Amino acid sequence: MRGFYNVCRHRGTRLCEEKSGQLRETIQCPYHAWTYTLEGKLVGVPHMDKIAGFDKAEHSLHAISLALWKGFIFVNLAEKLTPTPLERVFAPLAGKFAHWNLPKLRSARRIEYDVRANWKLIFENYSECYHCPLVHPALSKLTPYDAAENDLSEGPFLGGFMPITKGHSLTMSGNACALPVGDIKTEDGHRVFYYSIFPNMLLSMHPDYVMLHQLWPQSPQRVLIFCDWLFHPDAFGRPDFHPNDAIEFWDMTNRQDWHVCELSQQGIASRAYQPGPYGPREASRPRGTANICAC
């Protein structure tokens, strides 16, 4: 697995115009046909053989650092040549999520949301359930808002679990909608886990599915959110596979969250706004965000 800046070393032309696709054996610039291998090495340069001292080895594509964690690809755009290894940064998570089989899960659906709010408001909203009784009446019927327990705060991570006290999962029916995603421990079979994986992942793990949010800030007042619902690969095609039961539940809940986050964004733009104190149900919040709303 490799990653490169999408920039030709000749005149900076964008090499790939599509967001996704499949390359063959080389990557060719559509401007002057400079051609690179999939390892980023420059191998084709029309008419440059007449340039004294030109060395193709000095014009490889600029590489970026990539790392895998639980099936997810993380990109490090740090300018230093040897960024901190992901294994060291993610050390507090070692072995924590093994029984959810994250690398094996498959996405059944993705919904994209365009939210007119700062991305940090989304993180902060996700990190507390103080708002749940009023904003999420359906969610509050299945899991009590005041029963959350934090079990992760070391490193750039935050989160914990809440019990499922009514039904078997967080779905429209309250029933499990698929096979268990893995060898879920007995006590965890009646819990939902919420984790913020900075800088832009929200990971919600249920006994029968995992919900993933990716946040991609577009401006200080706007963020694109990609939400995927992930299931065990053996669940697909079974008669007891009802992914829409979970998707509809969280699409409703997501939209409720995005609405109040947009209201917050509108309010903090007022010259009258000053951050108020956090309440006891807001103790689980991203570090260093005491004045998050003023950003």
Side-chain angles (χ1 to χ4, degrees), residues 169-223:
S169 186
L170 300 188
T171 60
M172 297 297 288
S173 68
N175 299 321
C177 63
L179 287 174
V181 292
D183 184 20
I184 308 300
K185 299 177 182 178
T186 302
E187 63 272 20
D188 291 347
H190 301 281
R191 292 171 175 171
V192 55
F193 291 78
Y194 301 101
Y195 294 108
S196 302
I197 311 294
F198 288 90
N200 72 330
M201 173 188 285
L202 303 176
L203 198 57
S204 308
M205 297 185 290
H206 307 69
D208 48 340
Y209 66 95
V210 170
M211 181 173 60
L212 167 70
H213 292 90
Q214 298 179 63
L215 278 64
W216 297 100
Q218 305 298 300
S219 75
Q221 296 85 29
R222 179 180 171 227
V223 59

Side-chain angles (χ1 to χ4, degrees), residues 42-56:
L42 179 64
V43 292
V45 280
H47 309 298
M48 295 298 292
D49 55 328
K50 300 178 182 179
I51 303 300
F54 181 80
D55 185 354
K56 289 185 290 188

Side-chain angles (χ1 to χ4, degrees), residues 116-269:
R116 302 290 171 167
N118 185 279
W119 67 275
K120 287 176 283 186
L121 292 175
I122 307 297
F123 262 93
E124 186 164 70
N125 171 270
Y126 182 83
S127 300
E128 52 92 350
C129 211
Y130 187 21
H131 66 282
C132 289
L134 184 60
V135 178
H136 305 308
L139 176 64
S140 296
K141 289 180 180 179
L142 300 177
T143 180
Y145 81 100
D146 57 353
E149 293 189 39
N150 299 322
D151 64 6
L152 183 62
S153 60
E154 181 184 354
F157 317 109
L158 192 70
F161 60 87
M162 298 176 70
I164 301 173
T165 56
K166 184 178 180 181
H168 300 281
S169 186
L170 300 188
T171 60
M172 297 297 288
S173 68
N175 299 321
C177 63
L179 287 174
V181 292
D183 184 20
I184 308 300
K185 299 177 182 178
T186 302
E187 63 272 20
D188 291 347
H190 301 281
R191 292 171 175 171
V192 55
F193 291 78
Y194 301 101
Y195 294 108
S196 302
I197 311 294
F198 288 90
N200 72 330
M201 173 188 285
L202 303 176
L203 198 57
S204 308
M205 297 185 290
H206 307 69
D208 48 340
Y209 66 95
V210 170
M211 181 173 60
L212 167 70
H213 292 90
Q214 298 179 63
L215 278 64
W216 297 100
Q218 305 298 300
S219 75
Q221 296 85 29
R222 179 180 171 227
V223 59
L224 294 180
I225 303 175
F226 300 159
C227 186
D228 285 88
W229 285 264
L230 311 174
F231 297 87
H232 194 287
D234 294 342
F236 291 78
R238 288 173 53 103
D240 57 353
F241 183 48
H242 305 291
N244 286 338
D245 205 9
I247 294 168
E248 291 177 10
F249 180 86
W250 276 110
D251 182 46
M252 170 188 67
T253 306
N254 282 338
R255 294 180 190 277
Q256 292 167 344
D257 276 328
W258 311 156
H259 177 63
V260 294
C261 288
E262 290 182 334
L263 292 179
S264 294
Q265 183 68 46
Q266 295 168 19
I268 65 176

